[in-house]
Amino acid sequence: MAVQGHPAGDQPAEEVAVEGLQPFLHDTCTTLYAPSLVLSRPDGDIATGADGFFHGDRRALSALSVRVEGVPVAPIARTLRAADETAFRAVLRGVGEHTADPAVTLHRVRRVEPGALREELSISNAGLGHVRLTLVVRAATDLARMVDVKSGRSLPALTPQADADGLTWTDGGLTVALRSAPGTPAAEVRTAGSHAELRHHIELPPGETWQTTVECTVQDREPDQFPAVHRDAVPWQPVTLRSADRSLDHLVARSVGDLERLLLSDPQAPEDVFLAAGSPWFLTLFGRDSLWAARMLLPLGTELAAGTLRTLARRQGAAVDPRSEEQPGKILHEVRREELNLDERTSLPPVYYGTVDATPLWITLLRDAWRWGLDPEQVRELLPHAEAALEWLATYGDADGDGLLEYIDTTGRGLANQGWKDSGDSIRWRDGRLAEAPIALCEVQAYGYEAALAGAELLRAFGRPGADRWEEWADRLRRRFRESFWVEDETGRYPAVALDAKKQPVDSVTSGFGHLLGTGLLDQEESALLAARIAGPELDSGFGLRTLSTDSTGFNPLGYHIGSIWPHDTAIAVHGLVRAGFPQEAAALAEGLIAASEAFEGRLPELFAGHGSAIDPAPAPYPAACRPQAWSAASAVVLLQAALGLDADVPGGTLSLSPAAHSLRPLRLDGLRIAGHPLSVALDADGRARVTTSAPVRVVGADTGVDPEADSGNPA
């Protein structure tokens, strides 16, 4: 991890780095257009730790700074204009000043395109006198792999090749060029060892502005593993929200913008797009993350879900491979260009299948996308993959035949925990002891139950055999869950986080409760018990749901999965509470997450600290969290869906609406889609709903005051 803060003066970045530790990211500025991104200091400089201009998990620039020779540069503002554009403003102290007011300023606008970084630099003179300046752009690169950057490993900088136009670095496979853009002032090129400079000598009269643009481009001998998605190929329409809560409006706008730039495409079928898991460490295809994000975004249309389903189906397991943990029917965990060596113990092959939950989540997403209006022919084409995934549940997913889904890393080199809480210390007893594998997670049983019923629903609807078998399988799982998982403490009954190798319930209280609600695994009494637990201060921090209860030994508000808050985890709980009939508890949880988003400029991170609103007026960051993260950004749409009580059943011809978000009224939301048709929802201050869509569905809702014309499928 890197010690944060900008080096003073010209102090080398190496002096503020801690070798061998994962760099911190909490004060990093991210500008993104996958598979390219820039990580920098808040002032715009690429200087230390994980900073860099990256493309396809390689660091094209490890240093980039803008200085004015002999002049202190004081940063005063940073503006995240869009996911792929950031502006930085600074004052040149003591230059051209005739009063105490600043007179000469530096404005830096960063734009990222796939494989290209552009820095527009402008210096403005608002003073009364003529000024002479030398602007210096310094750059270096190590062409490090992302895994080396994440592990805190330092690599030597490469020696640049200089010519009249600019600078070039290469290792034979990757070539990086830095130069002034055509049509802008040419720079003097200087090199000194591994560092290089582009120098501009500027004379600036009063009232004038000088401008130039510096471009850095990357050429890789190998094609992108997952290519970028063109701006015109975003699989949803512009989304606009105007509500009584401006923080939510900002959260939705920022989140949707970030999601657009996290899109990647399948090189085997470029029309199929999916969401990379997150920046910077996970800018690739992940089974669980990409599936959850696509499911959360179904109200924006089914195109993303279809692309995600097909991309994963093409890579669905077909054989038994102990090294990669591939099994017939299994959906993968992640894809990399090369083997991923995380530490001395953990090494993942380029295509790795070590996940217990991606396979049931794939099945459920297919059913949900069908219900939101995915073309039945597209659904039909994917049914053989759904049948293979269902078979995996009953054979490999339940390897010991006890009726429950469990996992174990048989390689000794893979992930010890293979649910979404995949850190090695995440599954623990209340007294702090770690659970021994094989492990059956509580939420994975819910995923399996929901997937089996979803599969049965699809098979029956499309006239394929096997529906009865999977309903019976789900019923057996439900019975086994009720028999095996429920434990009790002084507060009452609750499900353990997992069963361990001895089939003993691991008794810690966790956020996993939220993943059980609304899936059908629980009855109403059981759901009420969990809703009350979620609403209690041990789990609800006031800014979202803690992953581990505060009364557990080992609770750590900065623990990755043992006390921190994950926005997607909270959003799943919010949606589950609404589906289970607890809108008030859902609203309180959602309001906390919306409040937390203000501390992160509307860009919710992968996770943040679980201290809570009773201790801190704003949430503290988790220092190494990714941001933006696909399922964190997609959580904003889930919060809206839950607030509106929005659910689709296009095959059944209905759209359900049950608004309960009093604090958001009045509200207007545009940009949703159902069955390929635009969908807009408006709520007035009294809660009366107005739905506009041309989709062939009947709008139904309890006490919503739905406009009768909209109810018939006509624009209201």
Side-chain angles (χ1 to χ4, degrees), residues 309 312-320 326-332 353 356 358-364 366 379-398 405 451-452 454-456 458-459 464-466 469-470 473:
L309 289 163
L312 290 167
R314 293 186 189 99
R315 296 159 178 82
Q316 188 173 24
V320 175
E326 178 184 359
Q327 294 162 341
K330 194 175 187 181
I331 299 299
L332 61 80
Y353 287 80
V356 71
T359 307
L361 289 170
W362 189 97
I363 300 166
T364 305
L366 179 61
V379 177
R380 193 184 304 276
E381 291 171 0
L382 289 168
L383 287 178
H385 296 280
E387 290 167 326
L390 287 165
E391 289 295 340
W392 181 86
L393 297 182
T395 53
Y396 300 97
D398 180 17
L405 300 176
L458 288 168
L459 294 175
R464 299 171 79 99
R469 174 193 171 192
W470 295 111
W473 187 90

Side-chain angles (χ1 to χ4, degrees), residues 52 675 693 707:
T693 185
D707 189 288

Side-chain angles (χ1 to χ4, degrees), residues 106-192:
L106 168 66
H107 195 215
R108 182 174 180 178
V109 178
R110 169 173 298 151
R111 293 186 174 91
V112 176
E113 295 279 349
L117 162 64
R118 292 179 176 83
E119 299 262 341
E120 297 177 3
L121 308 175
S122 61
I123 296 179
S124 299
N125 182 5
L128 300 178
H130 195 103
V131 297
R132 292 178 176 85
L133 305 167
T134 298
L135 181 76
V136 181
V137 178
R138 294 178 180 171
T141 188
D142 55 9
L143 298 187
R145 300 177 306 156
M146 184 66 82
V147 66
D148 292 319
V149 177
K150 187 175 190 290
S151 299
R153 290 190 282 267
S154 295
L155 300 178
L158 277 66
T159 301
Q161 300 173 1
D163 56 38
D165 294 328
L167 302 155
T168 304
W169 297 264
T170 185
D171 64 358
L174 193 73
T175 299
V176 178
L178 181 72
R179 59 195 71 249
S180 299
T184 63
E188 175 192 352
V189 181
R190 289 187 185 180
T191 60

Side-chain angles (χ1 to χ4, degrees), residues 34 49 76 164 206-207 245 256 361 491 544 651 676 680 706:
I76 59 171
D245 189 336
V256 173
L361 289 170
T491 304
S680 298
V706 176

Side-chain angles (χ1 to χ4, degrees), residues 40 51 248 314 320 393 406 481 485 512 537 547 553 670 676 695 707:
S40 77
D51 287 2
L248 178 60
R314 293 186 189 99
V320 175
L393 297 182
E406 53 266 322
F481 183 86
F485 273 81
T547 43
T553 300
D670 297 295
D707 189 288

Side-chain angles (χ1 to χ4, degrees), residues 23 58 86 104 115 136 184 209 220 255 269 300 348 367 373 381-382 391 406 417 498 520 547 561-562 588 646:
R58 292 290 300 277
T86 309
V104 181
V136 181
T184 63
T209 296
D220 195 341
S255 297
L300 305 190
L348 308 182
R367 188 278 311 272
E381 291 171 0
L382 289 168
E391 289 295 340
E406 53 266 322
N417 283 313
T547 43
H561 293 125
I562 53 171
L646 195 62

Side-chain angles (χ1 to χ4, degrees), residues 360 363 389-395 397-398 401-405 444-453 466-480:
I363 300 166
L390 287 165
E391 289 295 340
W392 181 86
L393 297 182
T395 53
D398 180 17
D402 70 342
L404 299 170
L405 300 176
V444 170
Q445 313 317 310
Y447 301 162
Y449 177 83
E450 194 171 19
L453 293 184
D468 291 347
R469 174 193 171 192
W470 295 111
E471 287 173 343
E472 292 168 2
W473 187 90
D475 187 58
R476 286 196 302 273
L477 185 151
R478 191 173 191 251
R479 291 199 306 271
R480 286 284 293 121

Side-chain angles (χ1 to χ4, degrees), residues 393-629:
L393 297 182
T395 53
Y396 300 97
D398 180 17
D400 62 4
D402 70 342
L404 299 170
L405 300 176
E406 53 266 322
Y407 63 82
I408 184 171
D409 169 41
T410 58
T411 71
R413 299 284 292 166
L415 296 175
N417 283 313
Q418 298 187 355
W420 83 262
K421 297 176 183 176
D422 57 5
S423 55
D425 65 348
S426 63
I427 309 305
R428 56 174 60 212
W429 296 76
R430 206 165 191 170
D431 62 11
R433 290 176 295 133
L434 299 185
E436 182 182 348
I439 290 172
L441 294 171
C442 68
E443 67 264 24
V444 170
Q445 313 317 310
Y447 301 162
Y449 177 83
E450 194 171 19
L453 293 184
E457 185 179 353
L458 288 168
L459 294 175
R460 187 169 284 119
F462 285 83
R464 299 171 79 99
D468 291 347
R469 174 193 171 192
W470 295 111
E471 287 173 343
E472 292 168 2
W473 187 90
D475 187 58
R476 286 196 302 273
L477 185 151
R478 191 173 191 251
R479 291 199 306 271
R480 286 284 293 121
F481 183 86
R482 186 163 287 123
E483 295 165 357
S484 306
F485 273 81
W486 284 84
V487 294
E488 190 167 359
D489 63 8
E490 63 280 0
T491 304
R493 296 172 60 241
Y494 66 95
V497 65
L499 302 185
D500 70 357
K502 297 178 181 179
K503 302 300 179 181
Q504 297 299 307
V506 181
D507 62 350
S508 54
V509 173
T510 73
S511 62
F513 296 164
H515 296 241
L516 309 181
L517 291 166
T519 63
L521 184 66
L522 309 175
D523 62 27
Q524 189 60 25
E525 180 184 353
E526 293 165 341
S527 296
L529 289 172
L530 298 197
R533 288 270 186 170
I534 285 174
E538 294 81 12
L539 285 177
D540 184 359
S541 73
F543 293 127
L545 198 60
R546 296 184 177 98
T547 43
L548 183 65
S549 171
T550 55
D551 60 8
S552 293
T553 300
F555 166 77
N556 178 1
L558 286 171
Y560 197 57
H561 293 125
I562 53 171
S564 62
I565 297 160
W566 290 64
H568 89 281
D569 188 34
T570 296
I572 290 169
V574 169
H575 193 225
L577 285 163
V578 168
R579 293 171 71 190
F582 301 94
Q584 289 184 333
E585 290 84 348
L589 207 57
E591 287 168 5
L593 191 57
I594 294 167
S597 72
E598 298 178 32
F600 302 106
E601 301 176 289
R603 179 180 265 182
L604 281 169
E606 175 189 16
L607 70 158
F608 53 88
H611 299 98
S613 60
I615 297 174
D616 292 332
Y622 178 85
C626 292
R627 193 164 65 113
Q629 185 88 350

